Amino acid sequence: MKKRLTAAILFFLLTCSSFSTVFAAKNSDVTRIYKAVVKNTDFADKLHSVVPLYADKGVTEDGVNQRIKMLITRVTDIALEEKKNGTLTEENMNERFKAILTDAVMTLEPVYLAMILDAYPEETILKIAAGEVPEEFKKLYTVLEKEARCVLGFQERTVEIIFDDMQGYEWSYEAVDSLFNKDVINGTSDFIFNPSGNVTREQFVKMMCTAFDIPYGSKECNFSDVKASDWYYPYIMKMASNALVSGISDSLFGAGNDISRQDMAVLIYRIGESLGYFSPESLKYPFADQNSIADYALTAVNTLKNNGVINGDNNNMFNPKKGASRAEAAQMVYNFCKFAEK
């Protein structure tokens, strides 16, 4: 019975879909909602259980995970679009969200809709198509609706770190959560941040460029180790064309090299100076290793310390030539973002 219904149901679903592509959802929102779906519902497990039936069609568990993220993106996009045009309000969210989930499910490719038919009772898809929330989908609906309320601004989200490997780095929770929500930083995978990992020069440039939405400038720049096909190319070009970052030589940017703490300070200082955030002032409380800071970085380090953007360790050491961990870099960028908002 289920297999005989498949073709008709899929045709009905695909022809009824009213979803328009907007792509407004942020990566951070999608990742956060995806984690909530995986941890609080059996939706992913149910679809994974029928993957072997569709192996000959090239379906994999990773492909299923990507489709779940696409579904979340579509749900979020539809909700954002409807909020913008006034169709969706806080008052009608409960009822309207059922139709939103229906529209989003309808846009899945036929093979994945067929997987839902195999993973759930045969009437599940028919109920979804009719705008109902079947019993098997109620938990999924509840999770998606709750998370969507936060994305839409109908409900405040408490600080809840998305990553599972932050034990011992509680001091950076607020920084990592804030920057992740703004798409300034990402994890190394869905739920892994790798807080102790080092930060490279291009990674830190991307963080700062994204945090402050730096546009292209007029200065010509050409680094032999930065190619147009590299993911970091636009960020380095934007920063370098505004004279906000320089290379390790005239022709090399130093892509792939860990960035030192003093070079991070210099980059932050240059952005702050270009935006008029800093004014000359005498150093109040120098670092204990002040003499180890390079001359080119001294003003930057001292200015950031004066303004509470950077701090030393328990011995008041800045360790200028050492690299910074991903958690430390996030904290430094977050501190500067808060300073800039004052």
Side-chain angles (χ1 to χ4, degrees):
M1 175 65 175
K2 185 184 293 188
K3 293 299 182 184
R4 288 199 299 270
L5 284 172
T6 300
I9 292 172
L10 294 184
F11 177 78
F12 172 73
L13 291 174
L14 292 172
T15 55
C16 286
S17 178
S18 61
F19 175 71
S20 59
T21 305
V22 179
F23 300 116
K26 296 193 300 182
N27 289 335
S28 57
D29 288 330
V30 173
T31 302
R32 190 181 296 279
I33 298 171
Y34 173 68
K35 181 175 184 179
V37 168
V38 169
K39 292 205 165 188
N40 299 304
T41 79
D42 64 356
F43 186 60
D45 290 338
K46 287 270 194 182
L47 295 185
H48 288 166
S49 70
V50 296
V51 164
L53 301 177
Y54 295 87
D56 61 333
K57 300 185 184 304
V59 174
T60 63
E61 286 196 7
D62 184 59
V64 169
N65 295 340
Q66 292 305 315
R67 291 325 182 278
I68 295 173
K69 290 178 185 178
M70 287 170 61
L71 175 64
I72 291 167
T73 300
R74 287 162 178 163
V75 167
T76 309
D77 282 348
I78 296 171
L80 287 167
E81 184 180 17
E82 290 201 0
K83 181 191 177 187
K84 183 178 180 180
N85 64 32
T87 305
L88 175 65
T89 65
E90 189 170 3
E91 289 71 28
N92 72 3
M93 175 80 176
N94 241 2
E95 204 53 43
R96 187 64 204 142
F97 198 73
K98 294 176 185 176
I100 290 175
L101 181 58
T102 298
D103 278 358
V105 171
M106 283 194 223
T107 61
L108 290 171
E109 300 104 301
V111 66
Y112 292 98
L113 287 168
M115 290 177 71
I116 294 176
L117 282 167
D118 278 313
Y120 290 93
E122 60 188 44
E123 66 271 14
T124 297
I125 292 288
L126 289 174
K127 287 184 177 179
I128 293 174
E132 300 177 33
V133 179
E135 189 65 34
E136 297 80 11
F137 266 55
K138 281 186 178 175
K139 187 64 175 177
L140 177 64
Y141 170 84
T142 301
V143 169
L144 289 174
E145 196 244 6
K146 176 186 174 184
E147 292 295 328
R149 283 183 178 275
C150 296
V151 173
L152 295 168
F154 295 160
Q155 180 175 312
E156 189 174 347
R157 174 182 280 125
T158 55
V159 175
E160 182 182 350
I161 203 70
I162 189 73
F163 303 109
D164 294 335
D165 60 342
M166 296 297 291
Q167 295 81 8
Y169 291 87
E170 289 79 4
W171 51 268
S172 67
Y173 271 18
E174 187 175 336
V176 171
D177 185 72
S178 175
L179 297 182
F180 175 74
N181 286 337
K182 296 175 182 176
D183 284 340
V184 173
I185 59 173
N186 297 301
T188 55
S189 65
D190 283 335
F191 309 139
I192 300 298
F193 183 65
N194 188 22
S196 63
N198 286 346
V199 177
T200 62
R201 289 171 55 81
E202 66 273 17
Q203 288 170 344
F204 193 70
V205 163
K206 187 252 184 184
M207 291 169 65
M208 293 301 298
C209 186
T210 305
F212 288 89
D213 197 21
I214 304 297
Y216 283 102
S218 57
K219 187 176 182 294
E220 189 174 337
C221 51
N222 185 25
F223 298 117
S224 61
D225 58 342
V226 180
K227 298 178 176 61
S229 57
D230 294 328
W231 65 262
Y232 44 82
Y233 176 85
Y235 307 109
I236 292 175
M237 289 301 106
K238 287 178 182 179
M239 299 290 271
S241 65
N242 283 285
L244 296 174
V245 70
S246 53
I248 58 176
S249 71
D250 290 339
S251 60
L252 289 175
F253 174 74
N257 295 351
D258 292 343
I259 190 169
S260 67
R261 291 170 59 80
Q262 64 183 7
D263 284 352
M264 292 168 69
V266 169
L267 180 51
I268 292 175
Y269 174 76
R270 285 177 180 169
I271 290 178
E273 188 179 38
S274 72
L275 296 173
Y277 293 151
F278 299 130
S279 57
E281 54 183 299
S282 58
L283 181 60
K284 300 169 186 174
Y285 308 106
F287 286 113
D289 55 350
Q290 186 83 354
N291 293 333
S292 299
I293 301 171
D295 290 342
Y296 71 84
L298 200 55
T299 298
V301 171
N302 290 343
T303 301
L304 296 187
K305 187 177 191 301
N306 276 355
N307 288 281
V309 176
I310 58 174
N311 298 294
D313 59 20
N314 292 334
N315 297 313
N316 193 34
M317 301 283 283
F318 180 60
N319 302 307
K321 295 177 175 61
K322 284 184 61 177
S325 69
R326 286 167 54 82
E328 290 170 337
Q331 188 65 56
M332 195 180 295
V333 174
Y334 177 65
N335 287 349
F336 182 55
C337 288
K338 286 206 303 182
F339 169 80
E341 291 171 359
K342 293 179 180 178

